[in-house]
Amino acid sequence: MSYAAYKMMHWPTGIENCASGFVTHSRADFAPQIAPIQTDDLESEWPAKRQIGPLPNLIVTAANILEVYMVRVQEEDSRESRASAETKRGGVMAGISGAALELVCQYRLHGNVETMTVLPSGGGDNSRRRDSIILAFQDAKISVLEFDDSIHGLRTSSMHCFEGPEWFHLKRGHESFARGPLVKVDPQGRCSGVLVYGLQMIILKASQAGYGLVGDEEALSSGSAVSARVESSYVISLRDLDMKHVKDFTFVHGYIEPVMVILHERELTWAGRVSWKHHTCMISALSISTTLKQHPLIWSAVNLPHDAYKLLPVPSPIGGVVVISANSIHYHSQSASCALALNNYAVSADNSQEMPRSSFSVELDAANATWLSNDVAMLSTKTGELLLLTLVYDGRVVHRLDLSKSRASVLTSGIAAIGNSLFFLGSRLGDSLLVQFTSILSSSVKEEVGDIEGDVPSAKRLRKSSSDALQDMVNGEELSLYGSAPNSTETSQKTFSFSVRDSFINVGPLKDFAYGLRINADPKATGIAKQSNYELVCCSGHGKNGALCILQQSIRPEMITEVELPGCKGIWTVYHKNTRGHNADSTKMATKDDEYHAYLIISLESRTMVLETADLLGEVTESVDYYVQGCTISAGNLFGRRRVVQVYARGARILDGAFMTQDLPISESSTVLSVSIADPYVLLRMSDGNIQLLVGDPSTCTVSINIPAVFESSKKSISACTLYHDKGPEPWLRKTSTDAWLSTGIGEAIDGADGAAHDQGDIYCVVSYESGDLEIFDVPNFNCVFSVDKFMSGNAHLVDTLILEPSEDTQKVMSKNSEEEAGQGRKENAHNIKVVELAMQRWSGQHSRPFLFGILTDGTILCYHAYLYEGPENTPKTEEAVSAQNSLSISNVSASRLRNLRFVRVPLDTYTREETLSGTTSPRMTVFKNIGGCQGLFLSGSRPLWFMVFRERIRVHPQLCDGSIVAFTVLHNINCNHGLIYVTSQGFLKICQLPAVSSYDNYWPVQKIPLKGTPHQVTYFAEKNLYPLIVSVPVLKPLNHVLSSLVDQEAGHQLENDNLSSDELHRSYSVDEFEVRVLEPEKSGAPWQTRATIPMQSSENALTVRVVTLFNTTTKENETLLAIGTAYVQGEDVAARGRVLLFSVGKNTDNSQNLVSEIYSKELKGAISALASLQGHLLIASGPKIILHKWTGTELNGVAFFDAPPLYVVSLNIVKNFILLGDIHRSIYFLSWKEQGAQLNLLAKDFGSLDCFATEFLIDGSTLSLIVSDDQKNIQIFYYAPKMSESWKGQKLLSRAEFHVGAHVTKFLRLQMLPASSDRTSATQGSDKTNRFALLFGTLDGSIGCIAPLDELTFRRLQSLQKKLVDAVPHVAGLNPRSFRQFRSNGKAHRPGPDNIVDCELLCHYEMLPFEEQLEIAQQIGTTRMQILSNLNDLSLGTSFL
């Protein structure tokens, strides 16, 4: 393996930063929506203050992913929520029945976001200005992003870089820094500060434009939004201000100039010296004058505890700052200060006066916080408890601090308050949550004090927080609202009730995973279909958020029944409203969604079958009036499901149930090719390239043919068309029209005659021509309302061609010229690409916007999302100018155009193209509204895909298990609830349901099994289908027990209790207790069962668990055993010991006790950190020794050893008789085992110092490479070449490639690559390709990717493409992909290795470029577009595991 590709398959999910701000809209956009609540019912006599008010966006980052969300709130009385109230999470609270996050835009950056903040625009609640996002990246890069309505995405407004030669002096000779840049912002948005290189403060000055009234007026009249911007920056060296060790800084509220408070330590101390040197921290407040670039010190406070680490600015009107340390909380302002001790370790600075203590003991050494109101902060602790910190104040003077317990929640990495009644708990270790809160007065308070909230009796408040709204924040665990204990009777302590509204799934941090068989695996599967027999079982999370995540890249539906049915062309299910009275069970048929299907229509090659979909599928072909003599083109329902329409090649039938009411011959000369049905219209595309429309009359339930005049006259040939039904009382597309009467949504303005149909929304026809253009017409008048040139080239944005934007015009001219220069030779392959199928759909949801899908002949899938943009040039002023330039007819037409409609292209990650051969193609896209609670679109073909829509985002999940699928439809009846039917190309019809246990709103379908403990390592026992797993659970123990375990019993020391008082000895201390659980997957989604538990001894940690195959030297047979390596953790005074345990796994009997039985245990010196079986022997890494043992059946006997200098082995890998071991500090060693002389030989090692995380062998044909990941988030590939001179006669491993992944890789898994399409042709060199393996890896961010070997030709081609794309693609936030992928050595000496890995994260941008640019780039690097796409396709085919 000389060359490889790095490819992400599952992007990071662990959220590291979250913030809220008005990014996509301004505060003023909310003003009209706040109507006074009706006070006719008791529930809503809430004070007006609790109005939801303007809701900001939520911005989250996970490693290198940046996402912007909109919060959608459903008020209790809204129409929408009445129908679907029972599905919402968390019940009704404070007049809100639900809140959900909806994706606005998502970006994958070329760099990990270190810290993020939102630059506020300043201004009050009616401000039209918007906020911007400030991102800080490793070393010293800062990007400011703002939202641009015209492209519906983020745009970089400024970039600030303090790296490179001219800024070397900022580092002051240091090479490595403890943390990346830290960014904070002034609450009024006047400036922002970024702390880089430990002691350099960069001040970003915000531009003051538009602060006056005049500026605001201008912004309003132009219609475009103004975002906060940064105009300049300068550097303050904190070292010059006598600060040495800065821990945190923040900007405080309530000053005229921005004031920055810095927490810093004068002299360092540590736990062992605290009795001599303590309270070493202090805070200094600097007034920042950005114009004068001066920063005078205005106040400071000294004698803060040495473990203070976080500053929390107190909002106006109080002001000041809260300092959080591990054992105490301090409040400081210019005029007052107070403190609160949290536990017995807190001491005051001079030991004289007693600090006020909180009513309970807690440690706050990793807290995150946000403000729920101006005097209540919410803190989350490292155990996941939420605490409320109340500032008791009078005017601006804080008298004291009160701390009370609230609810238990997820372990957070950040908290962001969203508006005045929601907050978001971001988490790296568990699922992130969106929570609504409302404050209630605690019942222990006297009634008279309740005037903070207005005059609502307290009992009603408590009723609001009824138990259903108090579901716990994590799957209902620890359901408790602790009554807060007021420290003194006269306080009015606020308590809050919470309700979880939405959550994001997180599968990180992936510590380890195992590759095992799924429960419903198919033993007969071959090829790629066999991959969906497997799943990844991952150890993820920590503490009480610990879970097993079962990840599958492909969906495998649960089969209910299957029938052999050769030659099937299409299947459809139709409803029939039974008006004849028998079995009209009105309750069951009440809602439209739950109505059962009546008939299943199956089109074969020369006939049509009809089946009844009652309890049993019975064939009724003979007894119905359907057209059954030939194949059916399509079928569906018309007239509100009262009739069925069936279209065949030369005609159509309308049926009432089984009886035909109308038969309509369509055309003699041409046949129907494709059909689109939108009640009451049916659109037919004919074989002569024309269109016919069947128009239904709801009063008589009949249809008539109508050929739209637009198409009769035009000579343009149509390549695909579809109808789009814009449903609902407020159709979305109406908002994009500029006509006032249309956008108000008043039905009477439109024809009175069919006004009834208009509650149902509007219908549009989307047409694409052979030339590649696309037009949207309204139906039935067929006025063109939107048109796009060259739809098939896949531009990033689609804009109506009638809107002449000067900037876009010049671009068009430019691209035309470049096309002509590119020469004629390449033109023809561009001409035969056209759109073969279209679909446009808006799925249910109050704010959903339509998606537009197109499939091209070369297999490209274009996906666009519609958005609304009211540009300045769309205002009526310019309309006269337009009509003057154009002819009169256009000015009439332009009145009704959807000129505010635009589309933005959505990248689709994991799909493989398949070319459509010339000739007729069966339609591949089927829209579904509810299959197992999911909605979206199914794409049939040789690699079928599910497109599922969650929170306005498309999730793509492949389905590999049945190979090619020719037809698909939904089925809802008694036996198959919201299920599906599909027909495979082998001729099997399968009736299935989606597995309900998986959650599909993730990059891969995932099922989470909570463990209530931290999982550490998992392995797969294939023979019995079991998963042994190391779990640790924190247990509280009395302190004297803990101390006695820290003494070496053999040496016979006595415990010295002199310095501990008796009450301290009885305090409890939390210790992790380890056990090995053996889990068995259950059928059909039941929770997994623990079949056996192997407990460890006290203070013994299980470090590794492996399934090993050992050769028993007495019976001469192989035995498969479970091996566990442990270590006793007893502090630094006790010599390290460990145990190796062997267990045999018995028969799966009901009695779980004898499932696993211990057959051997032995204590060794040193921790046993890794185990592996090597040719029937057991290889054990115990401390600094590696020992090989043989197994006699009762005894392990050492046969060979290797005394390496390794300190602690983190991973062992074995191939044949080669051993690769990775050390925590000394990089990797490559050994071999010789049976004859029974010796372990060191072949070579890497002489660098590398802190390994994971290692593995990479096999490519006959070459063996060694791969290692390290603590700086890099991977390196080494090889052993004793003949090369630079390997020092074979002692040294040589570098083959290096790459920066940007995440800690914790585990590699070697999987054989799958045969790709192009391999089948070249059978000659096939032998080398078969033995080719890729490495799947998991990371601590929750991402999964793979390293796949490439042959040299492909690598050179993709590498030159990668170099082009660095410049050709506009990168978000201005980041450079090349610098991101450079090896990071963090100041250690490192010789740069070859750059032999291509980055598919950058290459995937190639498919998103417009078609013309793709051709141009391919020509510049001397290849063709099809060649590049086929290489990328083969790579994704070859690695389509799981």
Side-chain angles (χ1 to χ4, degrees):
M1 196 279 345
S2 302
Y3 306 101
Y6 159 86
K7 184 174 191 303
M8 284 310 279
M9 302 160 91
H10 180 289
W11 285 267
T13 54
I15 290 178
E16 287 161 10
N17 300 295
C18 54
S20 67
F22 290 89
V23 177
T24 64
H25 51 270
S26 61
R27 288 174 174 77
D29 296 350
F30 272 86
Q33 294 183 8
I34 302 177
I37 303 179
Q38 295 82 18
T39 46
D40 38 359
D41 63 329
L42 262 181
E43 287 288 306
S44 55
E45 298 171 15
W46 281 73
K49 176 178 105 59
R50 291 306 304 167
Q51 271 295 344
I52 280 299
L55 272 180
N57 297 92
L58 170 70
I59 306 105
V60 299
T61 71
N64 65 329
I65 304 261
L66 170 69
E67 293 174 331
V68 180
Y69 289 91
M70 191 85 119
V71 184
R72 298 291 190 191
V73 166
Q74 290 195 339
E75 306 206 349
E76 195 181 353
D77 51 349
S78 68
R79 278 186 310 255
E80 179 84 15
S81 63
R82 278 273 156 82
S84 58
E86 64 276 0
T87 62
K88 295 281 172 288
R89 279 173 79 163
V92 174
M93 175 190 218
I96 290 175
S97 64
L101 292 165
E102 171 189 301
L103 185 74
V104 179
C105 53
Q106 182 214 30
Y107 295 101
R108 306 213 287 264
L109 311 175
H110 299 292
N112 289 351
V113 179
E114 290 291 319
T115 50
M116 167 184 70
T117 186
V118 170
L119 178 65
S121 54
D125 267 0
N126 297 325
S127 157
R128 308 270 331 165
R129 290 167 55 99
R130 293 182 182 175
D131 306 342
S132 295
I133 304 170
I134 305 182
L135 303 176
F137 299 93
Q138 193 58 275
D139 281 2
K141 290 188 271 288
I142 303 139
S143 294
V144 186
L145 304 176
E146 61 183 46
F147 188 78
D148 183 355
D149 285 318
S150 62
I151 59 169
H152 198 73
L154 296 175
R155 196 177 55 193
T156 312
S157 68
S158 66
M159 301 188 295
H160 313 268
C161 183
F162 294 87
E163 296 173 16
E166 66 271 36
W167 296 104
F168 268 159
H169 62 278
L170 294 183
K171 293 189 177 187
R172 304 202 60 92
H174 288 267
E175 282 292 337
S176 65
F177 298 93
R179 63 169 172 205
L182 177 67
V183 53
K184 296 283 169 82
V185 69
D186 172 49
Q188 292 178 31
R190 294 165 296 193
C191 71
S192 163
V194 189
L195 181 68
V196 299
Y197 302 134
L199 278 175
Q200 305 291 339
M201 179 67 68
I202 296 164
I203 301 290
L204 305 176
K205 182 187 177 189
S207 58
Q208 304 285 323
Y211 263 90
L213 295 169
V214 189
D216 274 354
E217 300 267 317
E218 284 168 13
L220 281 174
S221 63
S222 70
S224 64
V226 183
S227 298
R229 300 230 170 130
V230 170
E231 68 174 29
S232 63
S233 61
Y234 65 95
V235 182
I236 302 175
S237 170
L238 299 182
R239 191 190 171 92
D240 302 346
L241 302 175
D242 238 17
M243 298 184 194
K244 296 195 185 72
H245 311 282
V246 176
K247 293 184 150 191
D248 194 19
F249 75 101
T250 189
F251 287 89
V252 289
H253 295 253
Y255 285 87
I256 296 171
E257 292 250 276
V259 170
M260 173 194 288
V261 176
I262 300 175
L263 170 68
H264 55 106
E265 197 165 3
R266 289 168 298 181
E267 312 174 40
L268 292 180
T269 183
W270 62 290
R273 271 192 66 78
V274 164
S275 50
W276 292 277
K277 189 191 282 186
H278 49 85
H279 291 80
T280 51
C281 290
M282 65 176 289
I283 53 175
S284 307
L286 310 177
S287 171
I288 306 288
S289 164
T290 49
T291 43
L292 302 172
K293 296 191 181 178
Q294 289 178 352
H295 35 270
L297 177 74
I298 53 174
W299 56 272
S300 65
V302 293
N303 286 344
L304 287 163
H306 75 282
D307 49 11
Y309 64 95
K310 198 185 200 74
L311 294 176
L312 198 59
V314 182
S316 300
I318 307 173
V321 63
V322 170
V323 185
I324 300 173
S325 72
N327 308 312
S328 55
I329 299 178
H330 303 254
Y331 168 81
H332 282 280
S333 70
Q334 201 161 350
S335 52
S337 70
C338 56
L340 179 71
L342 304 175
N343 54 40
N344 294 357
Y345 299 112
V347 284
S348 61
D350 46 6
N351 287 334
S352 58
Q353 79 263 37
E354 187 62 28
M355 285 167 84
R357 297 198 169 276
S358 72
S359 54
F360 56 95
S361 177
V362 66
E363 287 178 22
L364 269 191
D365 52 349
N368 288 296
T370 190
W371 292 92
L372 299 187
S373 66
N374 63 350
D375 58 343
V376 180
M378 187 175 71
L379 306 166
S380 79
T381 67
K382 60 180 177 184
T383 56
E385 283 184 295
L386 295 183
L387 308 177
L388 297 176
L389 174 69
T390 310
L391 276 60
V392 181
Y393 69 102
D394 179 13
R396 292 187 64 166
V397 179
V398 174
H399 296 304
R400 65 165 201 279
L401 307 171
D402 272 346
L403 193 67
S404 61
K405 285 193 181 186
S406 183
R407 298 261 301 287
S409 160
V410 64
L411 303 174
T412 61
S413 61
I415 312 182
I418 306 173
N420 58 13
S421 53
L422 292 161
F423 60 84
F424 179 77
L425 299 169
S427 175
R428 248 184 82 92
L429 303 173
D431 293 351
S432 301
L433 306 174
L434 176 71
V435 184
Q436 183 192 349
F437 66 91
T438 178
S439 58
I440 50 181
L441 283 178
S442 68
S443 47
S444 59
V445 178
K446 296 196 201 74
E447 201 41 64
E448 297 84 273
V449 206
D451 59 356
I452 302 176
E453 281 283 340
D455 51 2
V456 188
S458 169
K460 186 179 295 169
R461 277 211 182 79
L462 287 172
R463 199 183 76 229
K464 292 294 282 184
S465 63
S466 61
S467 59
D468 63 324
L470 282 181
Q471 294 162 342
D472 191 85
M473 310 213 174
V474 192
N475 315 338
E477 73 182 55
E478 296 164 34
L479 189 98
S480 52
L481 178 85
Y482 304 98
S484 58
N487 294 3
S488 62
T489 47
E490 70 272 8
T491 65
S492 68
Q493 180 123 31
K494 284 186 192 167
T495 50
F496 290 79
S497 62
F498 301 104
S499 169
V500 177
R501 291 305 187 186
D502 202 352
S503 63
F504 287 154
I505 287 185
N506 170 21
V507 300
L510 296 176
K511 298 198 183 90
D512 189 28
F513 55 75
Y515 178 74
L517 276 176
R518 297 191 194 183
I519 280 299
N520 54 2
D522 171 19
K524 299 193 289 291
T526 55
I528 283 185
K530 190 174 178 183
Q531 282 302 316
S532 65
N533 283 346
Y534 297 97
E535 60 193 5
L536 277 189
V537 177
C538 308
C539 294
S540 65
H542 181 84
K544 64 176 188 186
N545 295 134
L548 268 193
C549 288
I550 291 91
L551 284 164
Q552 309 168 344
Q553 191 176 1
S554 58
I555 289 181
R556 188 183 191 100
E558 290 173 359
M559 195 166 69
I560 296 174
T561 170
E562 83 174 314
V563 195
E564 193 161 358
L565 188 75
C568 175
K569 290 277 178 258
I571 46 177
W572 299 271
T573 41
V574 291
Y575 298 97
H576 175 224
K577 280 257 171 63
N578 221 329
T579 46
R580 292 193 189 73
H582 60 271
N583 82 359
D585 187 352
S586 58
T587 53
K588 196 177 287 178
M589 300 294 175
T591 60
K592 194 171 164 185
D593 197 35
D594 281 343
E595 187 185 337
Y596 288 153
H597 287 102
Y599 293 103
L600 166 66
I601 300 160
I602 301 175
S603 166
L604 303 172
E605 275 161 358
S606 56
R607 63 191 185 94
T608 294
M609 287 167 63
V610 182
L611 282 74
E612 226 171 9
T613 57
D615 303 356
L616 300 166
L617 289 180
E619 187 172 348
V620 290
T621 311
E622 305 305 317
S623 56
V624 291
D625 293 344
Y626 283 87
Y627 171 79
V628 294
Q629 295 81 21
C631 62
T632 302
I633 307 294
S634 181
N637 285 89
L638 287 182
F639 311 122
R641 297 186 178 174
R642 286 176 298 172
R643 293 286 186 275
V644 176
V645 58
Q646 179 198 16
V647 180
Y648 48 96
R650 301 205 179 265
R653 286 189 185 189
I654 305 294
L655 300 105
D656 182 355
F659 305 99
M660 176 165 75
T661 58
Q662 187 183 6
D663 191 7
L664 198 66
I666 288 173
S667 159
E668 293 303 314
S669 56
S670 58
T671 56
V672 180
L673 287 184
S674 71
V675 181
S676 176
I677 301 173
D679 193 4
Y681 300 104
V682 181
L683 181 74
L684 312 174
R685 182 170 69 86
M686 310 304 289
S687 55
D688 57 4
N690 226 326
I691 277 187
Q692 302 201 2
L693 184 72
L694 306 185
V695 183
D697 178 356
S699 52
T700 61
C701 287
T702 55
V703 295
S704 53
I705 297 187
N706 168 13
I707 300 181
V710 190
F711 300 122
E712 270 189 304
S713 55
S714 87
K715 295 285 175 283
K716 290 201 273 190
S717 177
I718 290 169
S719 69
C721 59
T722 183
L723 289 179
Y724 164 58
H725 191 169
D726 206 12
K727 287 198 181 66
E730 298 172 7
W732 191 85
L733 280 179
R734 263 188 222 177
K735 302 178 196 163
T736 65
S737 164
T738 41
D739 302 3
W741 54 270
L742 252 178
S743 51
T744 51
I746 298 170
E748 289 77 48
I750 312 161
D751 271 271
D754 57 3
H758 272 284
D759 299 341
Q760 301 303 313
D762 310 330
I763 294 181
Y764 297 90
C765 170
V766 188
V767 174
S768 69
Y769 299 101
E770 298 272 350
S771 62
D773 300 345
L774 175 113
E775 296 195 308
I776 302 182
F777 298 90
D778 61 352
V779 177
N781 309 325
F782 279 89
N783 295 328
C784 178
V785 292
F786 186 85
S787 59
V788 177
D789 295 337
K790 287 268 184 291
F791 169 72
M792 47 63 73
S793 54
N795 288 309
H797 298 89
L798 304 182
V799 187
D800 190 357
T801 44
L802 259 200
I803 297 178
L804 299 171
E805 295 198 7
S807 59
E808 301 211 358
D809 262 18
T810 51
Q811 281 171 17
K812 273 179 195 153
V813 174
M814 299 265 296
S815 63
K816 284 221 173 68
N817 296 348
S818 65
E819 257 180 82
E820 282 150 21
E821 288 162 19
Q824 305 300 311
R826 218 187 41 211
K827 275 264 177 86
E828 51 272 16
N829 73 350
H831 280 316
N832 53 22
I833 289 193
K834 57 175 193 283
V835 182
V836 289
E837 192 178 350
L838 282 171
M840 188 165 170
Q841 178 70 25
R842 183 167 76 100
W843 282 276
S844 64
Q846 202 172 358
H847 301 278
S848 61
R849 314 191 305 276
F851 284 95
L852 173 65
F853 294 90
I855 301 183
L856 308 186
T857 38
D858 67 344
T860 308
I861 304 167
L862 300 177
C863 169
Y864 284 94
H865 202 177
Y867 65 96
L868 190 76
Y869 171 62
E870 300 181 18
E873 60 279 322
N874 304 2
T875 45
K877 281 182 212 165
T878 57
E879 225 165 85
E880 292 87 37
V882 172
S883 54
Q885 289 166 18
N886 300 313
S887 62
L888 244 173
S889 61
I890 287 189
S891 69
N892 296 342
V893 172
S894 75
S896 65
R897 283 184 89 89
L898 306 175
R899 54 175 49 206
N900 292 342
L901 172 65
R902 291 192 176 188
F903 290 91
V904 60
R905 180 144 174 221
V906 181
L908 301 175
D909 291 319
T910 47
Y911 78 92
T912 7
R913 338 169 139 263
E914 48 190 280
E915 295 205 34
T916 27
L917 305 165
S918 53
T920 58
T921 54
S922 56
R924 291 174 56 195
M925 292 192 271
T926 313
V927 170
F928 58 88
K929 300 280 194 341
N930 183 351
I931 294 185
C934 300
Q935 49 183 13
L937 178 143
F938 184 84
L939 183 77
S940 54
S942 67
R943 314 257 313 174
L945 293 173
W946 293 82
F947 293 90
M948 295 185 183
V949 179
F950 297 94
R951 40 178 128 249
E952 289 297 282
R953 128 189 242 159
I954 297 246
R955 297 286 197 184
V956 186
H957 300 306
Q959 176 175 326
L960 310 171
C961 54
D962 293 291
S964 176
I965 289 181
V966 290
F968 173 95
T969 189
V970 292
L971 172 67
H972 179 46
N973 70 3
I974 291 190
N975 300 323
C976 176
N977 210 349
H978 293 299
L980 56 130
I981 308 182
Y982 59 85
V983 182
T984 68
S985 56
Q986 277 83 38
F988 287 95
L989 178 138
K990 302 195 176 190
I991 301 179
C992 305
Q993 283 178 308
L994 271 187
V997 289
S998 292
S999 164
Y1000 298 99
D1001 185 15
N1002 186 35
Y1003 299 104
W1004 289 5
V1006 59
Q1007 176 192 353
K1008 278 190 97 158
I1009 298 164
L1011 295 171
K1012 301 276 192 283
T1014 307
H1016 295 275
Q1017 207 177 51
V1018 64
T1019 185
Y1020 179 56
F1021 200 111
E1023 293 174 18
K1024 307 274 193 300
N1025 198 28
L1026 299 171
Y1027 289 94
L1029 155 86
I1030 299 177
V1031 182
S1032 68
V1033 182
V1035 177
L1036 286 175
K1037 289 189 162 183
L1039 196 56
N1040 46 8
H1041 285 200
V1042 179
L1043 287 172
S1044 63
S1045 72
L1046 298 182
V1047 173
D1048 199 339
Q1049 273 84 12
E1050 293 161 18
H1053 288 304
Q1054 278 307 304
L1055 186 58
E1056 299 151 9
N1057 290 347
D1058 314 341
N1059 51 0
L1060 290 175
S1061 61
S1062 58
D1063 63 325
E1064 280 186 306
L1065 276 178
H1066 294 296
R1067 262 197 280 133
S1068 56
Y1069 184 77
S1070 164
V1071 181
D1072 276 348
E1073 289 207 340
F1074 281 75
E1075 62 187 30
V1076 174
R1077 292 184 199 168
V1078 182
L1079 291 156
E1080 182 176 28
E1082 283 292 303
K1083 292 233 178 332
S1084 72
W1088 286 26
Q1089 297 300 317
T1090 305
R1091 287 276 169 247
T1093 304
I1094 305 168
M1096 297 293 123
Q1097 297 175 359
S1098 77
S1099 70
E1100 180 183 32
N1101 288 12
L1103 297 180
T1104 180
V1105 57
R1106 287 288 175 251
V1107 174
V1108 293
T1109 305
L1110 301 184
F1111 180 70
N1112 186 330
T1113 53
T1114 39
T1115 62
K1116 302 283 189 265
E1117 286 177 348
N1118 280 333
E1119 297 179 16
T1120 305
L1121 304 172
L1122 186 63
I1124 301 171
T1126 73
Y1128 290 99
V1129 179
Q1130 295 174 303
E1132 57 191 26
D1133 300 330
V1134 185
R1137 295 168 299 136
R1139 286 196 306 161
V1140 57
L1141 306 168
L1142 292 179
F1143 288 83
S1144 70
V1145 181
K1147 296 281 172 284
N1148 259 350
T1149 51
D1150 293 336
N1151 184 0
S1152 65
Q1153 290 312 310
N1154 49 20
L1155 173 66
V1156 294
S1157 51
E1158 182 177 319
I1159 55 174
Y1160 180 75
S1161 91
K1162 178 182 181 181
E1163 195 169 288
L1164 297 167
K1165 284 184 183 167
I1168 296 174
S1169 56
L1171 296 164
S1173 55
L1174 168 62
Q1175 297 183 340
H1177 297 45
L1178 182 64
L1179 188 63
I1180 298 176
S1182 78
K1185 270 197 173 62
I1186 287 97
I1187 312 170
L1188 189 65
H1189 294 78
K1190 68 169 193 272
W1191 170 240
T1192 63
T1194 53
E1195 184 94 0
L1196 280 178
N1197 294 329
V1199 290
F1201 69 92
F1202 172 61
D1203 258 346
L1207 306 168
Y1208 179 90
V1209 176
V1210 288
S1211 68
L1212 268 182
N1213 309 97
I1214 288 177
V1215 164
K1216 293 184 180 164
N1217 64 329
F1218 295 111
I1219 305 162
L1220 168 62
L1221 63 95
D1223 184 71
I1224 189 79
H1225 213 59
R1226 296 271 180 88
S1227 198
I1228 57 174
Y1229 293 80
F1230 184 42
L1231 312 172
S1232 75
W1233 152 245
K1234 288 205 175 70
E1235 191 93 40
Q1236 310 88 309
Q1239 62 195 72
L1240 289 171
N1241 291 336
L1242 175 65
L1243 295 176
K1245 63 174 189 170
D1246 170 30
F1247 281 81
S1249 72
L1250 198 65
D1251 299 356
C1252 297
F1253 265 47
T1255 59
E1256 187 54 275
F1257 286 105
L1258 185 50
I1259 299 173
D1260 179 18
S1262 56
T1263 40
L1264 185 70
S1265 306
L1266 322 172
I1267 191 163
V1268 55
S1269 66
D1270 63 38
D1271 68 323
Q1272 295 299 315
K1273 307 184 180 183
N1274 307 307
I1275 53 174
Q1276 275 171 286
I1277 303 178
F1278 291 99
Y1279 66 108
Y1280 174 58
K1283 301 209 169 56
M1284 305 271 283
S1285 58
E1286 58 262 42
S1287 73
W1288 302 347
K1289 296 188 178 168
Q1291 297 176 56
K1292 184 179 176 200
L1293 290 170
L1294 300 176
S1295 172
R1296 188 163 262 168
E1298 58 184 28
F1299 191 80
H1300 183 72
V1301 175
H1304 288 123
V1305 175
T1306 51
K1307 165 88 175 200
F1308 289 107
L1309 172 72
R1310 193 170 62 242
L1311 293 176
Q1312 186 154 7
M1313 284 183 73
L1314 307 168
S1317 49
S1318 62
D1319 294 352
R1320 299 192 191 108
T1321 51
S1322 54
T1324 49
Q1325 49 182 14
S1327 58
D1328 191 40
K1329 292 269 176 82
T1330 51
N1331 195 27
R1332 172 167 273 191
F1333 289 80
L1335 293 181
L1336 199 69
F1337 62 80
T1339 75
L1340 289 183
D1341 296 329
S1343 55
I1344 297 169
C1346 74
I1347 304 282
L1350 292 177
D1351 49 90
E1352 182 169 5
L1353 187 66
T1354 312
F1355 170 76
R1356 296 281 175 229
R1357 182 180 299 124
L1358 294 180
Q1359 192 186 35
S1360 43
L1361 171 64
Q1362 177 176 307
K1363 287 176 177 159
K1364 277 277 174 227
L1365 290 177
V1366 172
D1367 303 326
V1369 179
H1371 302 296
V1372 187
L1375 293 162
N1376 185 337
R1378 277 187 60 195
S1379 76
F1380 179 42
R1381 296 307 182 186
Q1382 293 282 312
F1383 187 92
R1384 306 267 163 95
S1385 62
N1386 197 27
K1388 291 182 186 166
H1390 172 77
R1391 281 188 62 186
D1395 174 24
N1396 283 347
I1397 300 185
V1398 289
D1399 177 17
C1400 291
E1401 283 291 271
L1402 176 57
L1403 295 176
C1404 68
H1405 286 285
Y1406 181 72
E1407 302 182 49
M1408 290 296 294
L1409 291 173
F1411 183 76
E1412 293 76 24
E1413 288 181 37
Q1414 290 184 25
L1415 291 179
E1416 198 172 325
I1417 289 180
Q1419 193 209 20
Q1420 286 172 359
I1421 62 174
T1423 179
T1424 63
R1425 169 179 179 269
M1426 285 323 291
Q1427 181 68 63
I1428 292 172
L1429 291 180
S1430 101
N1431 285 156
L1432 293 173
N1433 212 20
D1434 286 352
L1435 188 62
S1436 65
L1437 272 172
T1439 57
S1440 50
F1441 307 119
L1442 302 163

